[in-house]
């Protein structure tokens, strides 16, 4: 039994067994939204994963606990317009749901605040009017006047966004899924294992009705991984900042002329502890080094020393931990679709890269629309 997890069986009359492969933010969000969707509750939900929230030490194979995390919108780029539009749509659904969750569950750690982007050499789509990045699609969006911009920054924008404490939010989702299952008479089964293939799910759960494939890099039925997927190494610093700072109410991202992104993301506090801050970071596709690199940390701190001196503690950064995580990205953007194949249907939901939290509930909503459609097709086929 996993720490803090009840596996008590509560009798129910539902018929289907559903399997969610993966216990990161996408997998847990699918379970969370499923349990609040009328007509979709199964008899049992099986969550199969190699790692689960709350484990220490955190495995580098488990991406979600390492995240910042915040919502940072972006304009749709000409070279990836379709994928950007799709992902942006997921973020807007998630944004609305996050507002509701924050109001109903303060323990979720979701905090709404100001977001700011500063760009030293902005791409042409950062004009304040492009799809996905304008006053019509973002709350309190405005272009920052030139006189308010930091040195060397050519353009900047502000909007309302949110931050959350990634490990705590994962734990919140896990607890909510457990409580909702108990309340609705759904049996919840956590199984720790490394799947050789998605087809193996049907050996473990022969009564499986459908698999939600939330495996990040896209494990397939035949045991291969989606060839379009790849990992992006990210190294960040978790900072203790005991004094008051403007970043308690704002998250800031700065893009330098050299292309480096330097960001500050609040990790809202729990249990009376002070807030911490994620300072990042690196974006290193194809780099599989799990060990923190001093060179990367020093580069991040040198940029931040000039950009965010408010985070310094007596002229130095108080680094609580160096994080190394691997964002599960995919060429062409995320894959959220139904695959009808033997031995059974799969609803894929992976390849979100570094956007797992900000797209999570939107992806879950899309998955459940697919599942509802699948159930309707089956009902019609029986007539």
């Amino acid at each position: 039994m996993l720490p803090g997890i009840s596996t008590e069986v509560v009798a129910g009359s539902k018929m289907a067994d559903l399997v969610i492969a993966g216990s990161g933010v996408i997998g847990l969000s699918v379970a969370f939204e499923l349990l609040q969707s009328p007509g979709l509750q199964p008899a049992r939900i099986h969550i199969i994963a190699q790692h689960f929230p709350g484990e220490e030490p955190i495995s580098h194979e488990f991406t979600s606990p390492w995240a910042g995390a915040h919502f940072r919108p972006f304009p749709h780029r000409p070279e990836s317009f379709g994928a950007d539009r799709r992902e942006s749509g997921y973020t807007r659904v998630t944004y609305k749901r996050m507002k509701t969750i924050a109001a109903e569950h303060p323990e979720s750690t979701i905090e709404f605040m100001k977001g700011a982007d500063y760009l030293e050499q902005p791409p042409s789509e950062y004009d304040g009017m492009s799809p996905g990045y304008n006053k019509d699609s973002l709350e309190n969006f405005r272009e920052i006047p030139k006189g308010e911009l930091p040195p060397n920054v050519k353009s900047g924008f502000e909007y309302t966004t949110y931050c959350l404490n990634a490990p705590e939010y994962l734990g919140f989702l896990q607890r909510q899924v457990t409580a909702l299952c108990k309340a609705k008479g759904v049996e919840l089964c956590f199984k720790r294992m490394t799947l050789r293939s998605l087809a193996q799910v049907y050996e473990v759960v022969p009564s499986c009705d459908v698999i939600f494939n939330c495996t990040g890099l896209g494990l397939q039925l035949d045991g291969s991984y989606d060839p379009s997927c790849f990992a992006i190494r990210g190294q960040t610093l978790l900072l203790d900042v005991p004094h008051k700072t403007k970043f308690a109410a704002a998250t800031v991202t700065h893009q330098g002329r050299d292309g480096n992104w330097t960001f500050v993301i609040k990790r809202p506090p729990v249990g009376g502890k002070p807030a911490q801050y994620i300072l990042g970071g690196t974006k290193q596709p194809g780099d599989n080094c799990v060990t923190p690199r001093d060179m990367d940390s020093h580069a991040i701190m040198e940029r931040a020393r000039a950009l965010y001196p408010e985070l310094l503690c007596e002229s130095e950064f108080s680094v609580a931990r160096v994080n190394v995580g691997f964002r599960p990205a995919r060429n062409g953007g995320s894959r959220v679709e139904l695959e009808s194949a033997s031995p059974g249907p799969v609803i894929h939901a992976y390849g979100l890269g570094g956007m797992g939290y900000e797209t999570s509930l939107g992806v879950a909503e899309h998955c459940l629309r697919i599942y509802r459609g699948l159930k309707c097709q089956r009902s019609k086929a029986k007539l």
Side-chain angles (χ1 to χ4, degrees), residues 310-332:
E310 301 95 329
L311 296 175
L312 291 165
C313 299
E314 297 181 357
S315 77
E316 299 295 335
F317 292 102
S318 178
V319 180
R321 187 176 67 205
V322 181
N323 300 321
V324 176
F326 295 87
R327 308 171 183 118
R330 184 174 182 271
N331 291 317

Side-chain angles (χ1 to χ4, degrees), residues 29-148:
S29 295
V30 168
F32 180 60
E33 297 295 83
L34 172 71
L35 289 162
Q36 299 175 86
S37 299
L40 293 185
Q41 279 86 45
R44 283 166 291 276
I45 294 176
H46 304 258
I47 300 180
I48 300 176
Q50 188 175 0
H51 304 284
F52 288 91
E55 298 175 352
E56 290 287 348
I58 304 171
S59 171
H60 293 285
E61 297 174 342
F62 191 24
T63 303
S64 290
W66 297 102
H70 67 168
F71 164 49
R72 182 181 177 275
F74 56 91
H76 303 169
R77 298 156 293 184
E79 67 274 17
S80 57
F81 190 89
D84 287 352
R85 181 173 58 183
R86 181 176 65 250
E87 259 76 287
S88 181
Y90 293 148
T91 68
R92 298 318 192 263
V93 173
T94 303
Y95 184 91
K96 291 178 181 178
R97 286 288 289 125
M98 287 290 189
K99 276 199 163 183
T100 301
I101 295 169
E104 295 178 351
H105 298 282
E107 73 276 16
S108 67
T109 76
I110 301 164
E111 283 189 20
F112 278 78
M113 62 184 65
K114 182 174 74 175
D117 297 336
Y118 297 127
L119 302 103
E120 290 189 358
Q121 192 168 348
S124 59
E125 60 267 22
Y126 276 91
D127 58 5
M129 297 178 287
S130 295
Y133 201 78
N134 55 56
K135 62 182 178 61
D136 296 323
S137 64
L138 293 166
E139 283 193 47
N140 301 315
F141 181 86
R142 76 167 185 130
E143 184 169 3
I144 301 172
K146 299 293 183 184
E148 298 178 24

Side-chain angles (χ1 to χ4, degrees), residues 142-220:
R142 76 167 185 130
E143 184 169 3
I144 301 172
K146 299 293 183 184
E148 298 178 24
L149 294 174
N152 303 318
V153 172
K154 286 189 176 180
S155 67
F157 301 88
E158 290 180 350
Y159 44 85
T160 299
T161 183
Y162 59 84
C163 294
L164 55 82
N165 185 319
E168 294 294 333
Y169 180 74
L170 283 180
F172 161 77
L173 285 179
Q174 190 179 50
R175 292 188 297 273
Q176 284 294 304
V177 168
T178 301
L180 285 166
C181 280
K182 188 170 183 178
K184 294 175 180 291
V186 176
E187 182 182 346
L188 178 60
C189 307
F190 289 88
K191 186 168 184 62
R192 187 191 304 277
M193 67 178 295
T194 302
L195 289 168
R196 300 188 304 273
S197 68
L198 287 183
Q200 189 185 6
V201 167
Y202 288 93
E203 300 173 13
V204 178
V205 186
S207 56
C208 177
D209 184 58
V210 66
I211 301 170
F212 291 90
N213 180 17
C214 308
T215 57
L217 291 172
L219 180 66
Q220 302 296 299

Side-chain angles (χ1 to χ4, degrees), residues 245-259:
T245 169
K246 67 181 182 183
F247 299 111
T251 177
V252 177
T253 303
H254 178 283
Q255 186 183 30
R257 184 176 295 275
D258 57 5

Side-chain angles (χ1 to χ4, degrees), residues 219-280:
L219 180 66
Q220 302 296 299
L221 284 163
D222 64 2
S224 65
Y225 281 84
D226 186 329
S228 295
C229 286
F230 61 98
I232 300 175
R233 182 182 185 272
Q235 182 165 319
T236 63
L237 309 177
L238 180 64
L239 302 182
D240 289 323
V241 185
H243 54 270
K244 291 184 178 179
T245 169
K246 67 181 182 183
F247 299 111
T251 177
V252 177
T253 303
H254 178 283
Q255 186 183 30
R257 184 176 295 275
D258 57 5
N260 284 317
W261 293 93
T262 312
F263 51 82
V264 181
I265 305 172
K266 180 182 180 180
R267 272 203 168 173
V270 293
K273 298 178 182 178
Q276 294 179 302
Y277 297 85
I278 293 287
L279 175 65

Side-chain angles (χ1 to χ4, degrees), residues 365-383:
E365 187 270 342
H366 188 183
C367 287
L368 298 183
R369 275 193 284 119
I370 294 172
Y371 182 48
R372 196 178 293 277
L374 177 63
K375 287 174 70 69
C376 287
Q377 289 176 12
R378 288 170 170 173
S379 296
K380 290 178 181 178
K382 291 178 180 178
L383 296 177

